[in-house]
Amino acid sequence: MGYNGVSEERPGRTRAERVTEGLTVAVASVLSSVLLTGPAVVFGTTAWHLVTDPGTTAFSRLLTPVLFLALVALPLVLARVAYRVGRRKGRERLTAAVPAVLTLLGASVVLFAVLCLVVVYAD
């Protein structure tokens, strides 16, 4: 029998499962935002210096900010794709958000690692 809205017991997930999913989404969102802030600031500053440098070509002035913006936006695009796939499978919003935010966190960690490698090995 289906849920008729009268009984106290609801089919599906328990409150603890929803709280766990909500905490996962919140913590991973904050961590990914913090990890994306560093590359955004560094890439933005670098792009500004490259664009305003007098010896820079017009092609570099256009390409550099676009490339850096694409690198910072890539984790957000990947997370949106993961969320849309979850919603297409008929999952609830919070349940679909967990893989999406974990994708965002993973992509943010990769981008942050790339930034660290660039800073360490740039000469």
Side-chain angles (χ1 to χ4, degrees), residues 13 17-18 22 26 30 42 51 56 58 63 76 88 101 109 117:
R13 302 177 336 224
E17 290 173 330
R18 290 191 309 269
V30 169
V42 170
V51 167
T56 307
L63 182 67
L76 301 171
R88 256 187 239 127
V101 78
V109 167
L117 288 174

Side-chain angles (χ1 to χ4, degrees), residues 53-115:
D53 189 29
T56 307
T57 64
F59 179 73
S60 295
R61 288 182 184 186
L62 176 68
L63 182 67
T64 303
V66 170
L67 181 66
F68 287 155
L69 179 64
L71 284 174
V72 172
L74 182 65
L76 301 171
V77 171
L78 292 175
R80 179 181 165 98
V81 168
Y83 179 74
R84 301 284 271 183
V85 167
R87 289 294 286 163
R88 256 187 239 127
K89 289 183 179 179
R91 296 182 184 154
E92 293 180 17
R93 284 192 335 215
L94 187 58
T95 305
V98 172
V101 78
L102 292 177
T103 302
L104 177 63
L105 181 61
S108 301
V109 167
V110 169
L111 184 62
F112 189 76
V114 167
L115 173 69

